[in-house]
Amino acid sequence: MQKIIILDFGSQTTQLIGRRVRELDTFCEILPYNKFPVGDDSVIGVILSGSPYSVHDPEAFKVDLSQFVGKVPVLGICYGAQFISNALGGKVEKADSREYGRANLETINLDNPLFKGFEKGSQVWMSHGDTITAIPSDFEVIGSTKDVKNAAFASTTHPIWAVQFHPEVYHTLQGKTLLQNFVVNICGSRQEWSAASFVDSTVAELKAQLGNDRVILGLSGGVDSSVAAVLLNKAIGNRLTCIFVDHGMLRKNEFTQVMNDYRCLGLNVIGVDASEKFFGDLAGVTDPEQKRKIIGRDFVEVFNAEAKKITDAKWLAQGTIYPDRIESLNITGKVIKSHHNVGGLPKEMHLQLCEPLKWLFKDEVRRVGRQLGMPEHLITRHPFPGPGLAVRILGDITPEKVRILQDADDIYIRGLREYVDTDGETLYNKVWQAGAILLSTVRSVGVMGDERTYEHPVALRAVTSTDAMTADWAHLPYDFMAKVSNEIINKVRGVNRVCYDISSKPPATIEWE
């Protein structure tokens, strides 16, 4: 299959480039800047990402351009553009002031294939501290803003293009057009990547890979592991055994509801209530990363104990998706947060790993679920953290705190599902992710009847996003917020105040811990 290689120089928006390319029905692979697959004939183009570094920093990432320049089309974005210029004889200098935010292409060469279909004055998004003051001798300027002369340039001798703005972000209004021009028109993508083609090819690959072997899959209740299970079930049928571990920090009644859903899908599922073990091991723990590690460790122990009962299993399947693998450890070596399903298997399990969704982004997983005929309420489930409500309770974890949060969260999520907005869409379907957070380390004074209360606040969170790499807080209707707040305070013992989180990502994350 044809593919675009995106070489990652450490930019926070590298995954967005990948998402935009996938939206063009074109497979792409994000690789570290120094891991270009030399000799891979399926590569039809290369994109160089942005970076937190300056090209002049001693620790700046560098790549040997001769591996692909002149062989396939190349597009440099931000740092990628500056690196191309610097490596090929241009000049990159520190800008007088950081060029960040909206700008407009006041000059565009509309005859250049990269800008086919563009409008003069098209808005772009800048984010760089250095600027290109001189381009290489065999290049020409094809786009300029008021403050950036060399905003876009192209080689006159090789298929190389470079832009100092970010076409992958929402604020570059014709960014998708630019990427389509590069990926489809310049690189010649046949646009073969689709949910249907993925299902057909993956089922065939799973049949060949697994043969008559038995596979164990750990289910979480989320869309990723659910789609992985249905995909595997389509490939190997009853040779798949699913294990669903209840760590006690799921949403209210979720264990029973999800088990019923899985059985309706024809899956062979074993349900395990291990909440007592998880609560015991989490007692007194307040650090978010430690919570994640304890839950990850306990999950493996419980899962391992159940898996050992299936003596003929040879494979462990996981619902790991592409962002899990990229985000757990980026190329700068900095862990953003632990993912409990990334990082290897217990050696004593002696199982091989099967990850049928490892190349997919979240919205692609949902498209595959629809292609497989899964019920919509499973496909549209909001993302939910593997550690569950443990990372939505600030402070230590107790069954009583979980009960409080489950009750508040249930009122909130049911309200989102029931409230139909003016356009006929439910609020639940309009937001990417929502949930309640218990500020158990804080108490606030309130009055109920004629009595003083001293109880916990609950913060409500709802964000809009397309890929979770960036997110904005959802502007929920005031009448909805008033109704939910009133219901939580009246019905949930232990809560006397409701707040709403209006932080975006970045700088905040979607989850509080």
Side-chain angles (χ1 to χ4, degrees):
M1 179 181 291
Q2 294 178 319
K3 64 184 173 186
I4 298 289
I5 294 296
I6 300 169
L7 293 181
D8 182 15
F9 290 85
S11 171
Q12 291 183 342
T13 61
T14 299
Q15 285 194 47
L16 288 181
I17 303 172
R19 281 298 311 110
R20 302 300 175 249
V21 173
R22 295 281 183 88
E23 287 170 2
L24 298 169
D25 298 326
T26 303
F27 182 70
C28 67
E29 188 173 351
I30 298 173
L31 296 173
Y33 66 97
N34 57 353
K35 299 293 183 182
F36 180 76
V38 177
D40 187 343
D41 293 336
S42 66
V43 178
I44 60 171
V46 176
I47 298 176
L48 310 185
S49 83
S51 175
Y53 295 118
S54 162
V55 293
H56 300 302
D57 289 344
E59 66 271 34
F61 299 136
K62 296 177 172 59
V63 64
D64 179 5
L65 294 176
S66 67
Q67 296 176 103
F68 42 82
V69 164
K71 300 170 184 176
V72 294
V74 178
L75 173 64
I77 295 174
C78 197
Y79 175 91
Q82 294 166 0
F83 182 83
I84 288 171
S85 179
N86 191 64
L88 299 181
K91 192 172 184 180
V92 178
E93 297 180 286
K94 183 70 69 177
D96 293 336
S97 61
R98 182 172 172 80
E99 293 164 344
Y100 181 84
R102 294 175 178 84
N104 296 92
L105 291 174
E106 297 186 350
T107 304
I108 311 176
N109 181 352
L110 297 176
D111 292 328
N112 190 281
L114 192 69
F115 286 131
K116 180 182 178 182
F118 260 63
E119 300 172 0
K120 287 198 173 183
S122 187
Q123 179 181 292
V124 297
W125 184 263
M126 295 286 188
S127 179
H128 53 91
D130 289 351
T131 193
I132 298 167
T133 55
I135 60 176
S137 58
D138 59 341
F139 281 70
E140 63 179 358
V141 177
I142 59 173
S144 304
T145 69
K146 179 181 177 182
D147 298 315
V148 183
K149 177 185 176 183
N150 302 311
F153 51 99
S155 171
T156 57
T157 56
H158 292 102
I160 308 173
W161 288 262
V163 294
Q164 286 204 80
F165 54 88
H166 287 270
E168 71 274 21
V169 304
Y170 173 78
H171 293 101
T172 296
L173 299 185
Q174 291 188 276
K176 183 176 181 179
T177 298
L178 186 148
L179 290 172
Q180 180 168 349
N181 286 338
F182 178 74
V183 171
V184 179
N185 299 341
I186 293 173
C187 297
S189 168
R190 293 190 293 266
Q191 297 183 282
E192 302 167 314
W193 179 257
S194 67
S197 67
F198 175 83
V199 169
D200 290 343
S201 62
T202 303
V203 167
E205 289 167 6
L206 289 171
K207 287 180 176 179
Q209 178 187 28
L210 304 174
N212 294 318
D213 294 345
R214 182 168 294 282
V215 180
I216 303 170
L217 170 66
L219 288 169
S220 68
V223 64
D224 300 336
S225 64
S226 300
V227 171
V230 175
L231 195 60
L232 280 159
N233 190 53
K234 184 177 177 67
I236 64 172
N238 61 11
R239 293 196 304 280
L240 171 68
T241 301
C242 302
I243 300 174
F244 183 27
V245 177
D246 180 7
H247 49 38
M249 285 150 283
L250 298 172
R251 283 182 155 137
K252 188 173 183 177
N253 301 323
E254 187 171 32
F255 183 69
T256 301
Q257 292 168 358
V258 171
M259 285 293 291
N260 289 337
D261 282 335
Y262 286 149
R263 291 188 178 113
C264 289
L265 287 170
L267 299 177
N268 176 26
V269 186
I270 299 170
V272 184
D273 181 358
S275 54
E276 187 174 339
K277 172 180 175 58
F278 282 88
F279 278 122
D281 290 347
L282 285 168
V285 176
T286 59
D287 179 73
E289 190 65 10
Q290 193 177 356
K291 289 180 189 177
R292 289 180 178 274
K293 288 180 178 178
I294 289 171
I295 291 171
R297 180 201 68 201
D298 282 7
F299 177 86
V300 168
E301 289 177 3
V302 173
F303 184 88
N304 193 19
E306 291 297 323
K308 282 182 177 178
K309 299 174 185 177
I310 307 170
T311 55
D312 58 342
K314 295 184 179 180
W315 297 84
L316 172 67
Q318 294 187 150
T320 309
I321 63 174
Y322 204 23
D324 292 339
R325 299 192 293 137
I326 298 170
E327 189 177 73
S328 289
L329 184 66
N330 66 22
I331 63 168
T332 62
K334 298 176 181 177
V335 174
I336 299 172
K337 65 179 179 181
S338 299
H339 284 275
H340 68 282
N341 61 341
V342 176
L345 306 175
K347 293 180 180 178
E348 67 271 18
M349 288 184 74
H350 304 296
L351 297 176
Q352 300 177 75
L353 185 61
C354 175
E355 297 176 309
L357 307 180
K358 66 182 179 180
W359 292 111
L360 299 187
F361 290 91
K362 178 72 75 175
D363 56 329
E364 292 177 312
V365 174
R366 291 193 169 107
R367 289 204 294 270
V368 168
R370 291 188 178 96
Q371 183 67 31
L372 290 166
M374 292 175 61
E376 193 67 16
H377 73 272
L378 279 179
I379 294 169
T380 58
R381 279 173 62 97
H382 288 175
F384 189 65
L389 300 180
V391 292
R392 292 183 179 176
I393 296 174
L394 274 59
D396 65 324
I397 309 299
T398 66
E400 174 61 9
K401 289 179 181 178
V402 171
R403 191 276 307 165
I404 292 171
L405 186 54
Q406 283 179 332
D407 287 348
D409 180 82
D410 183 58
I411 291 170
Y412 182 35
I413 298 301
R414 278 194 295 104
L416 289 169
R417 290 186 182 278
E418 293 169 0
Y419 189 102
V420 178
D421 210 350
T422 53
D423 59 1
E425 187 79 67
T426 66
L427 290 180
Y428 186 88
N429 288 338
K430 295 182 79 167
V431 303
W432 168 268
Q433 186 171 347
I437 300 93
L438 179 64
L439 282 61
S440 71
T441 57
V442 177
R443 286 182 181 271
S444 67
V445 174
V447 177
M448 291 188 180
D450 295 323
E451 295 183 2
R452 175 185 184 272
T453 62
Y454 192 51
E455 297 178 332
H456 298 297
V458 161
L460 304 182
R461 181 80 159 133
V463 298
T464 56
S465 181
T466 55
D467 43 40
M469 292 304 298
T470 60
D472 195 12
W473 60 277
H475 295 227
L476 300 179
Y478 286 162
D479 61 329
F480 167 79
M481 298 297 292
K483 182 177 182 296
V484 167
S485 172
N486 186 61
E487 190 172 351
I488 289 174
I489 292 171
N490 284 338
K491 293 183 178 180
V492 181
R493 288 180 292 106
V495 176
N496 67 354
R497 190 178 299 269
V498 173
C499 311
Y500 187 57
D501 182 348
I502 59 170
S503 309
S504 295
K505 176 186 180 182
T509 55
I510 295 175
E511 298 292 344
W512 277 43
E513 291 194 339

